[in-house]
Amino acid sequence: MAISQTQIKKSLNRPKIDILTVLGILGSFVFFLGFALLIPVAVDLVYEGTTWHSFLYSASIAFAVGGALYYFFKPENELRIREGFLVVSLTWLFLSLVGALPFVISGIIPSYTDAVFETMSGLTTTGATILGGTTSDGFHNPQIEAIPRSMLFWRSLAHWLGGMGIIVLSIAILPLLGIGGMQLFQAESPGPTTDKLTPRVQETAKLLWVVYVAFTAVEFLLLWIHPSMDWFDSLNHAFATLATGGFSTKNASIAAFDSVYIDLVITLFMFLAGINFALHFRLLKGDTDSFLDNREVRFYSLVVLGGTLLVSLSLFLFNSYSVGEALRYGSFQVVSIVTTTGFGTSDYELWYPLGAFALFLLFFTGGCAGSTGGGIKMIRWLIIIRNTFREIKQIIHPKAILPIRIGDKIVDHNIQRTVLSFFIFYILIFGIGTLIITAFGYDLLSATGASIACLGNIGPGWGDFGPTDNFAHVPYLGKWLLIMLMMVGRLEVFTVLLIFTPTFWKQ
């Protein structure tokens, strides 16, 4: 197709970062959030009938702000890679700022900082909460079971939307992102590579969401048939499981139901949620080879199996659990941490040090690339391990050409470099986060736990942030640090860090 001189001139005169296009697309996302904010209205009218106006007011604000931004800055140019990264980073921040409004307007969480923390924790599928604790200025946040069901539903819905990605959902349903949508898809999708199921990114996004919705529906039904869960609890926990989020409707998390059946169902779907959803789609289409032969899935399964056996053995030998109890609680907690879901059925801080430390190491793993899980991701660990053994061989045979292979494919040198850089930055950010949190007076174990729990999008941590604790007592400045760690972890580090570099903004 021929390009006119007017189009060439327009392209040459376009700034390096088209802020107007970015604002227009941000407006469309905020406008879309308004529809999501209307859903809890129905839940509230069915139950308490006390907070529907909070969601209605919040939705009105989202429609007004988002509509105005889109109307005045309607995107007319193709979205480029820099603008894609900027849109993704700002979208998660903007949506958290707007999504926090129902908590504040209703008075459930009067502190706007606390409300943003809870919302960001939901959208990034972290699962850390300030509910049930006392803030640094002495305010007592309500217990989880004491707040209206509409608010609990909003927390879980935020999980579910953030799990597959609000931006991926928008690419699937909003035609305006048909141009330049790949930039958003690449910037938002978790993992070092993006698996396209079809040549068109919009169709890929739709197929991924079809699988996501189908898995959620199946888990909902399996939970609902158990007498311990009504439809509300079943739907909320299905949302949180498939999103690997971890928000529960109970203060005691999954332990409140005390059911072997529920533990098994949630363990299974947490495990499935930690696998690339593109592989799930191919498996459902009958392509079993690509699923079973995938090296990352094999490695992921091996880590889960090894962790389960070690933790269960520790519980059996040193914590007086029976064989069945050790396997039940060990497998649940291992899968919960590896997939960064953060559900709990046992207080792992009370375990014998062998099992507890094994679980602590799993905080630094994560699910597969293309899953809803956070963390470093299994494919990166696989590449790092292969690179380590390659370096050992290279020392012995300095003139040999030793490429890194994953299965029958050679890992491109650029991917190797990016993975190693990601790992260094991840550990560096984790260390800086830990250092800053210790400045607020927390001990090293607590600071370490808070940093990796938020950066890895896991939720519960260690020490003062363990599975039976919360984040309410963190000073407000510390909460904003943790908010940023959650966002950086969810968007794979580079997406956020890029916009703070001078090179990103240079003309």
Side-chain angles (χ1 to χ4, degrees):
M1 183 177 65
I3 301 176
S4 66
Q5 290 184 349
T6 304
Q7 288 175 311
I8 295 175
K9 186 175 181 181
K10 183 178 180 181
S11 177
L12 291 174
N13 292 332
R14 189 178 173 189
K16 183 64 72 175
I17 305 292
D18 192 342
I19 298 297
L20 299 184
T21 296
V22 170
L23 289 174
I25 295 176
L26 283 174
S28 68
F29 287 132
V30 174
F31 189 84
F32 166 76
L33 184 68
F35 290 105
L37 285 164
L38 291 176
I39 300 176
V41 172
V43 177
D44 187 63
L45 292 177
V46 169
Y47 289 101
E48 295 87 359
T50 57
T51 60
W52 61 269
H53 62 282
S54 303
F55 289 101
L56 196 60
Y57 294 156
S58 302
S60 300
I61 293 172
F63 287 140
V65 173
L69 285 173
Y70 183 73
Y71 178 79
F72 290 108
F73 307 110
K74 186 174 182 179
E76 296 180 352
N77 298 313
E78 182 178 353
L79 194 67
R80 297 170 299 188
I81 189 66
R82 295 194 191 198
E83 290 144 3
F85 282 115
L86 187 59
V87 166
V88 168
S89 298
L90 293 180
T91 294
W92 289 86
L93 181 60
F94 273 47
L95 295 186
S96 296
L97 296 176
V98 177
L101 293 177
F103 294 115
V104 179
I105 294 174
S106 65
I108 300 296
I109 305 178
S111 166
Y112 185 62
T113 295
D114 281 358
V116 174
F117 181 96
E118 197 76 9
T119 308
M120 180 66 82
S121 180
L123 288 172
T124 58
T125 71
T126 302
T129 185
I130 50 81
L131 294 175
T134 303
T135 63
S136 57
D137 55 3
F139 179 80
H140 298 284
N141 286 317
Q143 295 289 327
I144 292 174
E145 294 173 45
I147 71 174
R149 289 198 170 197
S150 57
M151 293 295 170
L152 294 177
F153 183 82
W154 175 236
R155 294 164 80 235
S156 300
L157 182 61
H159 262 348
W160 194 70
L161 292 174
M164 184 56 69
I166 294 174
I167 291 170
V168 175
L169 173 62
S170 301
I171 291 171
I173 66 174
L174 295 181
L176 70 95
L177 293 179
I179 298 177
M182 190 60 196
Q183 280 72 16
L184 293 183
F185 187 67
Q186 288 177 327
E188 197 275 340
S189 297
T193 59
T194 302
D195 194 353
K196 290 180 64 178
L197 298 174
T198 67
R200 297 183 65 229
V201 66
Q202 194 170 1
E203 291 300 318
T204 296
K206 287 180 180 179
L207 292 175
L208 291 176
W209 266 94
V210 167
V211 177
Y212 190 54
V213 171
F215 275 36
T216 305
V218 172
E219 186 189 1
F220 163 69
L221 293 174
L222 290 175
L223 293 175
W224 194 16
I225 62 177
H226 193 275
S228 298
M229 282 194 176
D230 58 16
W231 76 268
F232 182 81
D233 288 331
S234 301
L235 185 59
N236 278 266
H237 287 93
F239 280 170
T241 303
L242 265 298
T244 62
F247 275 156
S248 176
T249 57
K250 306 294 182 182
N251 293 313
S253 190
I254 308 302
F257 301 99
D258 192 23
S259 166
V260 176
Y261 172 80
I262 290 175
D263 289 358
L264 289 174
V265 170
I266 292 180
T267 300
L268 171 63
F269 279 90
M270 285 192 297
F271 180 80
L272 293 176
I275 297 174
N276 190 332
F277 275 79
L279 289 177
H280 285 313
F281 176 80
R282 292 193 171 100
L283 180 63
L284 293 173
K285 293 282 288 184
D287 185 4
T288 57
D289 290 342
S290 63
F291 187 93
L292 297 176
D293 293 340
N294 186 276
R295 294 303 190 273
E296 185 183 20
V297 173
R298 290 183 181 182
F299 182 65
Y300 166 70
S301 302
L302 182 63
V303 170
V304 169
L305 178 61
T308 296
L309 291 177
L310 181 58
V311 170
S312 298
L313 183 64
S314 176
L315 292 176
F316 173 71
L317 293 177
F318 305 111
N319 288 93
S320 302
Y321 283 50
S322 67
V323 174
E325 289 175 334
L327 288 172
R328 172 188 172 185
Y329 294 107
S331 61
F332 185 97
Q333 214 58 66
V334 165
V335 175
S336 179
I337 296 303
V338 169
T339 61
T340 72
T341 306
F343 278 143
T345 54
S346 179
D347 185 356
Y348 50 75
E349 289 191 300
L350 302 179
W351 292 356
Y352 189 77
L354 173 63
F357 186 69
L359 201 65
F360 175 77
L361 294 178
L362 295 176
F363 271 64
F364 294 87
T365 55
C368 299
S371 71
T372 56
I376 294 176
K377 299 288 190 305
M378 290 298 173
I379 187 63
R380 291 194 178 98
W381 275 114
L382 193 55
I383 292 174
I384 290 170
I385 292 171
R386 293 285 173 87
N387 183 71
T388 301
F389 283 109
R390 193 271 304 270
E391 289 301 317
I392 293 174
K393 290 181 181 179
Q394 197 76 65
I395 293 173
I396 299 173
H397 306 285
K399 294 184 179 181
I401 299 176
L402 304 171
I404 295 178
R405 295 179 182 273
I406 302 295
D408 58 352
K409 295 181 180 179
I410 296 177
V411 179
D412 185 83
H413 181 72
N414 291 329
I415 294 179
Q416 296 176 39
R417 187 184 66 248
T418 302
V419 167
L420 293 175
S421 299
F422 174 92
F423 183 78
I424 292 171
F425 273 110
Y426 191 92
I427 298 301
L428 181 62
I429 293 170
F430 158 69
I432 293 174
T434 301
L435 182 66
I436 296 175
I437 295 168
T438 58
F440 291 106
Y442 290 100
D443 62 87
L444 182 59
L445 179 63
S446 299
T448 300
S451 182
I452 190 58
C454 290
L455 180 62
N457 303 134
I458 298 166
W462 296 85
D464 293 335
F465 307 98
T468 60
D469 301 298
N470 56 69
F471 289 75
H473 47 78
V474 179
Y476 290 122
L477 187 60
K479 284 174 183 170
W480 282 105
L481 167 68
L482 297 178
I483 287 170
M484 291 306 299
L485 285 178
M486 285 188 270
M487 190 171 78
V488 168
R490 177 62 180 85
L491 297 179
E492 301 280 292
V493 178
F494 287 125
T495 303
V496 178
L497 292 187
L498 274 174
I499 66 176
F500 292 101
T501 61
T503 305
F504 181 84
W505 298 96
K506 282 183 179 179
Q507 183 66 26

PDB file of all heavy atoms in Angstrom, residues 232-255:
ATOM      1  N   PHE A 232     -21.597 -17.524  46.405  1.00  0.00           N
ATOM      2  CA  PHE A 232     -20.762 -16.327  46.549  1.00  0.00           C
ATOM      3  C   PHE A 232     -19.321 -16.709  46.874  1.00  0.00           C
ATOM      4  O   PHE A 232     -18.377 -16.217  46.235  1.00  0.00           O
ATOM      5  CB  PHE A 232     -21.341 -15.432  47.647  1.00  0.00           C
ATOM      6  CG  PHE A 232     -20.571 -14.152  47.848  1.00  0.00           C
ATOM      7  CD1 PHE A 232     -20.775 -13.068  47.001  1.00  0.00           C
ATOM      8  CD2 PHE A 232     -19.653 -14.031  48.870  1.00  0.00           C
ATOM      9  CE1 PHE A 232     -20.047 -11.887  47.174  1.00  0.00           C
ATOM     10  CE2 PHE A 232     -18.935 -12.859  49.056  1.00  0.00           C
ATOM     11  CZ  PHE A 232     -19.131 -11.788  48.202  1.00  0.00           C
ATOM     12  N   ASP A 233     -19.138 -17.555  47.881  1.00  0.00           N
ATOM     13  CA  ASP A 233     -17.791 -18.006  48.239  1.00  0.00           C
ATOM     14  C   ASP A 233     -17.134 -18.754  47.082  1.00  0.00           C
ATOM     15  O   ASP A 233     -15.940 -18.581  46.811  1.00  0.00           O
ATOM     16  CB  ASP A 233     -17.837 -18.912  49.468  1.00  0.00           C
ATOM     17  CG  ASP A 233     -18.132 -18.144  50.750  1.00  0.00           C
ATOM     18  OD1 ASP A 233     -17.780 -16.966  50.823  1.00  0.00           O
ATOM     19  OD2 ASP A 233     -18.734 -18.740  51.667  1.00  0.00           O
ATOM     20  N   SER A 234     -17.922 -19.581  46.396  1.00  0.00           N
ATOM     21  CA  SER A 234     -17.379 -20.369  45.286  1.00  0.00           C
ATOM     22  C   SER A 234     -16.882 -19.468  44.159  1.00  0.00           C
ATOM     23  O   SER A 234     -15.784 -19.676  43.624  1.00  0.00           O
ATOM     24  CB  SER A 234     -18.445 -21.321  44.745  1.00  0.00           C
ATOM     25  OG  SER A 234     -18.897 -22.194  45.749  1.00  0.00           O
ATOM     26  N   LEU A 235     -17.678 -18.460  43.804  1.00  0.00           N
ATOM     27  CA  LEU A 235     -17.293 -17.571  42.712  1.00  0.00           C
ATOM     28  C   LEU A 235     -16.081 -16.733  43.082  1.00  0.00           C
ATOM     29  O   LEU A 235     -15.148 -16.574  42.279  1.00  0.00           O
ATOM     30  CB  LEU A 235     -18.468 -16.654  42.344  1.00  0.00           C
ATOM     31  CG  LEU A 235     -18.263 -15.743  41.132  1.00  0.00           C
ATOM     32  CD1 LEU A 235     -17.971 -16.569  39.883  1.00  0.00           C
ATOM     33  CD2 LEU A 235     -19.486 -14.855  40.910  1.00  0.00           C
ATOM     34  N   ASN A 236     -16.066 -16.199  44.289  1.00  0.00           N
ATOM     35  CA  ASN A 236     -14.930 -15.380  44.726  1.00  0.00           C
ATOM     36  C   ASN A 236     -13.634 -16.167  44.751  1.00  0.00           C
ATOM     37  O   ASN A 236     -12.588 -15.676  44.323  1.00  0.00           O
ATOM     38  CB  ASN A 236     -15.214 -14.788  46.110  1.00  0.00           C
ATOM     39  CG  ASN A 236     -16.069 -13.548  46.063  1.00  0.00           C
ATOM     40  OD1 ASN A 236     -15.562 -12.428  46.033  1.00  0.00           O
ATOM     41  ND2 ASN A 236     -17.376 -13.720  46.039  1.00  0.00           N
ATOM     42  N   HIS A 237     -13.705 -17.395  45.247  1.00  0.00           N
ATOM     43  CA  HIS A 237     -12.477 -18.196  45.317  1.00  0.00           C
ATOM     44  C   HIS A 237     -12.061 -18.731  43.950  1.00  0.00           C
ATOM     45  O   HIS A 237     -10.865 -18.934  43.699  1.00  0.00           O
ATOM     46  CB  HIS A 237     -12.655 -19.333  46.320  1.00  0.00           C
ATOM     47  CG  HIS A 237     -12.638 -18.875  47.745  1.00  0.00           C
ATOM     48  ND1 HIS A 237     -13.779 -18.544  48.448  1.00  0.00           N
ATOM     49  CD2 HIS A 237     -11.605 -18.654  48.601  1.00  0.00           C
ATOM     50  CE1 HIS A 237     -13.456 -18.163  49.663  1.00  0.00           C
ATOM     51  NE2 HIS A 237     -12.140 -18.218  49.795  1.00  0.00           N
ATOM     52  N   ALA A 238     -13.026 -18.932  43.056  1.00  0.00           N
ATOM     53  CA  ALA A 238     -12.668 -19.302  41.682  1.00  0.00           C
ATOM     54  C   ALA A 238     -11.956 -18.132  41.003  1.00  0.00           C
ATOM     55  O   ALA A 238     -10.954 -18.323  40.297  1.00  0.00           O
ATOM     56  CB  ALA A 238     -13.917 -19.688  40.893  1.00  0.00           C
ATOM     57  N   PHE A 239     -12.469 -16.920  41.202  1.00  0.00           N
ATOM     58  CA  PHE A 239     -11.802 -15.721  40.667  1.00  0.00           C
ATOM     59  C   PHE A 239     -10.365 -15.636  41.175  1.00  0.00           C
ATOM     60  O   PHE A 239      -9.415 -15.425  40.410  1.00  0.00           O
ATOM     61  CB  PHE A 239     -12.556 -14.460  41.098  1.00  0.00           C
ATOM     62  CG  PHE A 239     -13.777 -14.151  40.271  1.00  0.00           C
ATOM     63  CD1 PHE A 239     -14.671 -13.166  40.674  1.00  0.00           C
ATOM     64  CD2 PHE A 239     -14.045 -14.824  39.090  1.00  0.00           C
ATOM     65  CE1 PHE A 239     -15.798 -12.870  39.912  1.00  0.00           C
ATOM     66  CE2 PHE A 239     -15.161 -14.531  38.325  1.00  0.00           C
ATOM     67  CZ  PHE A 239     -16.040 -13.550  38.741  1.00  0.00           C
ATOM     68  N   ALA A 240     -10.211 -15.782  42.496  1.00  0.00           N
ATOM     69  CA  ALA A 240      -8.892 -15.604  43.112  1.00  0.00           C
ATOM     70  C   ALA A 240      -7.934 -16.719  42.736  1.00  0.00           C
ATOM     71  O   ALA A 240      -6.718 -16.495  42.610  1.00  0.00           O
ATOM     72  CB  ALA A 240      -9.043 -15.532  44.631  1.00  0.00           C
ATOM     73  N   THR A 241      -8.447 -17.931  42.539  1.00  0.00           N
ATOM     74  CA  THR A 241      -7.577 -19.062  42.195  1.00  0.00           C
ATOM     75  C   THR A 241      -7.034 -18.949  40.784  1.00  0.00           C
ATOM     76  O   THR A 241      -5.823 -19.058  40.558  1.00  0.00           O
ATOM     77  CB  THR A 241      -8.337 -20.393  42.342  1.00  0.00           C
ATOM     78  OG1 THR A 241      -8.833 -20.515  43.667  1.00  0.00           O
ATOM     79  CG2 THR A 241      -7.412 -21.567  42.043  1.00  0.00           C
ATOM     80  N   LEU A 242      -7.929 -18.750  39.802  1.00  0.00           N
ATOM     81  CA  LEU A 242      -7.475 -18.677  38.409  1.00  0.00           C
ATOM     82  C   LEU A 242      -6.599 -17.456  38.170  1.00  0.00           C
ATOM     83  O   LEU A 242      -5.744 -17.458  37.281  1.00  0.00           O
ATOM     84  CB  LEU A 242      -8.669 -18.675  37.461  1.00  0.00           C
ATOM     85  CG  LEU A 242      -9.080 -20.046  36.900  1.00  0.00           C
ATOM     86  CD1 LEU A 242      -7.954 -20.660  36.079  1.00  0.00           C
ATOM     87  CD2 LEU A 242      -9.493 -21.010  38.000  1.00  0.00           C
ATOM     88  N   ALA A 243      -6.803 -16.404  38.947  1.00  0.00           N
ATOM     89  CA  ALA A 243      -5.952 -15.217  38.825  1.00  0.00           C
ATOM     90  C   ALA A 243      -4.666 -15.356  39.624  1.00  0.00           C
ATOM     91  O   ALA A 243      -3.801 -14.487  39.558  1.00  0.00           O
ATOM     92  CB  ALA A 243      -6.718 -13.981  39.322  1.00  0.00           C
ATOM     93  N   THR A 244      -4.529 -16.480  40.369  1.00  0.00           N
ATOM     94  CA  THR A 244      -3.430 -16.693  41.327  1.00  0.00           C
ATOM     95  C   THR A 244      -3.277 -15.470  42.220  1.00  0.00           C
ATOM     96  O   THR A 244      -2.178 -14.957  42.422  1.00  0.00           O
ATOM     97  CB  THR A 244      -2.085 -17.016  40.620  1.00  0.00           C
ATOM     98  OG1 THR A 244      -1.681 -15.932  39.792  1.00  0.00           O
ATOM     99  CG2 THR A 244      -2.197 -18.277  39.803  1.00  0.00           C
ATOM    100  N   GLY A 245      -4.410 -15.015  42.755  1.00  0.00           N
ATOM    101  CA  GLY A 245      -4.423 -13.807  43.575  1.00  0.00           C
ATOM    102  C   GLY A 245      -4.374 -14.073  45.058  1.00  0.00           C
ATOM    103  O   GLY A 245      -3.478 -13.610  45.752  1.00  0.00           O
ATOM    104  N   GLY A 246      -5.351 -14.811  45.593  1.00  0.00           N
ATOM    105  CA  GLY A 246      -5.294 -15.172  46.999  1.00  0.00           C
ATOM    106  C   GLY A 246      -6.235 -14.437  47.924  1.00  0.00           C
ATOM    107  O   GLY A 246      -6.296 -14.767  49.118  1.00  0.00           O
ATOM    108  N   PHE A 247      -6.996 -13.452  47.444  1.00  0.00           N
ATOM    109  CA  PHE A 247      -7.995 -12.825  48.302  1.00  0.00           C
ATOM    110  C   PHE A 247      -9.084 -13.841  48.628  1.00  0.00           C
ATOM    111  O   PHE A 247      -9.611 -14.503  47.738  1.00  0.00           O
ATOM    112  CB  PHE A 247      -8.642 -11.622  47.612  1.00  0.00           C
ATOM    113  CG  PHE A 247      -7.875 -10.341  47.756  1.00  0.00           C
ATOM    114  CD1 PHE A 247      -8.039  -9.319  46.825  1.00  0.00           C
ATOM    115  CD2 PHE A 247      -7.018 -10.125  48.819  1.00  0.00           C
ATOM    116  CE1 PHE A 247      -7.349  -8.122  46.942  1.00  0.00           C
ATOM    117  CE2 PHE A 247      -6.309  -8.935  48.955  1.00  0.00           C
ATOM    118  CZ  PHE A 247      -6.482  -7.919  48.009  1.00  0.00           C
ATOM    119  N   SER A 248      -9.426 -13.946  49.893  1.00  0.00           N
ATOM    120  CA  SER A 248     -10.473 -14.861  50.326  1.00  0.00           C
ATOM    121  C   SER A 248     -11.605 -14.068  50.968  1.00  0.00           C
ATOM    122  O   SER A 248     -11.439 -12.894  51.320  1.00  0.00           O
ATOM    123  CB  SER A 248      -9.913 -15.880  51.323  1.00  0.00           C
ATOM    124  OG  SER A 248     -10.927 -16.727  51.828  1.00  0.00           O
ATOM    125  N   THR A 249     -12.749 -14.708  51.130  1.00  0.00           N
ATOM    126  CA  THR A 249     -13.878 -14.081  51.820  1.00  0.00           C
ATOM    127  C   THR A 249     -13.842 -14.379  53.315  1.00  0.00           C
ATOM    128  O   THR A 249     -14.752 -13.981  54.042  1.00  0.00           O
ATOM    129  CB  THR A 249     -15.208 -14.597  51.235  1.00  0.00           C
ATOM    130  OG1 THR A 249     -15.243 -16.033  51.345  1.00  0.00           O
ATOM    131  CG2 THR A 249     -15.344 -14.206  49.772  1.00  0.00           C
ATOM    132  N   LYS A 250     -12.806 -15.079  53.755  1.00  0.00           N
ATOM    133  CA  LYS A 250     -12.680 -15.468  55.158  1.00  0.00           C
ATOM    134  C   LYS A 250     -11.361 -14.950  55.733  1.00  0.00           C
ATOM    135  O   LYS A 250     -10.343 -14.905  55.045  1.00  0.00           O
ATOM    136  CB  LYS A 250     -12.739 -16.987  55.307  1.00  0.00           C
ATOM    137  CG  LYS A 250     -13.967 -17.644  54.688  1.00  0.00           C
ATOM    138  CD  LYS A 250     -15.243 -17.233  55.389  1.00  0.00           C
ATOM    139  CE  LYS A 250     -16.453 -17.942  54.788  1.00  0.00           C
ATOM    140  NZ  LYS A 250     -17.728 -17.513  55.429  1.00  0.00           N
ATOM    141  N   ASN A 251     -11.390 -14.600  57.013  1.00  0.00           N
ATOM    142  CA  ASN A 251     -10.170 -14.144  57.685  1.00  0.00           C
ATOM    143  C   ASN A 251      -9.106 -15.239  57.703  1.00  0.00           C
ATOM    144  O   ASN A 251      -7.910 -14.959  57.586  1.00  0.00           O
ATOM    145  CB  ASN A 251     -10.487 -13.729  59.127  1.00  0.00           C
ATOM    146  CG  ASN A 251     -11.358 -12.486  59.204  1.00  0.00           C
ATOM    147  OD1 ASN A 251     -11.094 -11.501  58.533  1.00  0.00           O
ATOM    148  ND2 ASN A 251     -12.406 -12.540  60.012  1.00  0.00           N
ATOM    149  N   ALA A 252      -9.543 -16.482  57.849  1.00  0.00           N
ATOM    150  CA  ALA A 252      -8.605 -17.609  57.933  1.00  0.00           C
ATOM    151  C   ALA A 252      -8.280 -18.200  56.568  1.00  0.00           C
ATOM    152  O   ALA A 252      -7.689 -19.284  56.486  1.00  0.00           O
ATOM    153  CB  ALA A 252      -9.177 -18.688  58.847  1.00  0.00           C
ATOM    154  N   SER A 253      -8.654 -17.524  55.490  1.00  0.00           N
ATOM    155  CA  SER A 253      -8.419 -17.994  54.130  1.00  0.00           C
ATOM    156  C   SER A 253      -9.072 -19.370  53.920  1.00  0.00           C
ATOM    157  O   SER A 253     -10.129 -19.641  54.478  1.00  0.00           O
ATOM    158  CB  SER A 253      -6.911 -18.031  53.836  1.00  0.00           C
ATOM    159  OG  SER A 253      -6.653 -18.259  52.464  1.00  0.00           O
ATOM    160  N   ILE A 254      -8.461 -20.255  53.164  1.00  0.00           N
ATOM    161  CA  ILE A 254      -9.068 -21.550  52.846  1.00  0.00           C
ATOM    162  C   ILE A 254      -9.155 -22.443  54.077  1.00  0.00           C
ATOM    163  O   ILE A 254      -9.984 -23.361  54.138  1.00  0.00           O
ATOM    164  CB  ILE A 254      -8.261 -22.263  51.737  1.00  0.00           C
ATOM    165  CG1 ILE A 254      -8.076 -21.323  50.532  1.00  0.00           C
ATOM    166  CG2 ILE A 254      -8.951 -23.538  51.286  1.00  0.00           C
ATOM    167  CD1 ILE A 254      -9.380 -20.823  49.937  1.00  0.00           C
ATOM    168  N   ALA A 255      -8.346 -22.184  55.093  1.00  0.00           N
ATOM    169  CA  ALA A 255      -8.392 -22.973  56.321  1.00  0.00           C
ATOM    170  C   ALA A 255      -9.755 -22.866  57.003  1.00  0.00           C
ATOM    171  O   ALA A 255     -10.143 -23.770  57.759  1.00  0.00           O
ATOM    172  CB  ALA A 255      -7.304 -22.511  57.284  1.00  0.00           C
TER     173      ALA A 255
END
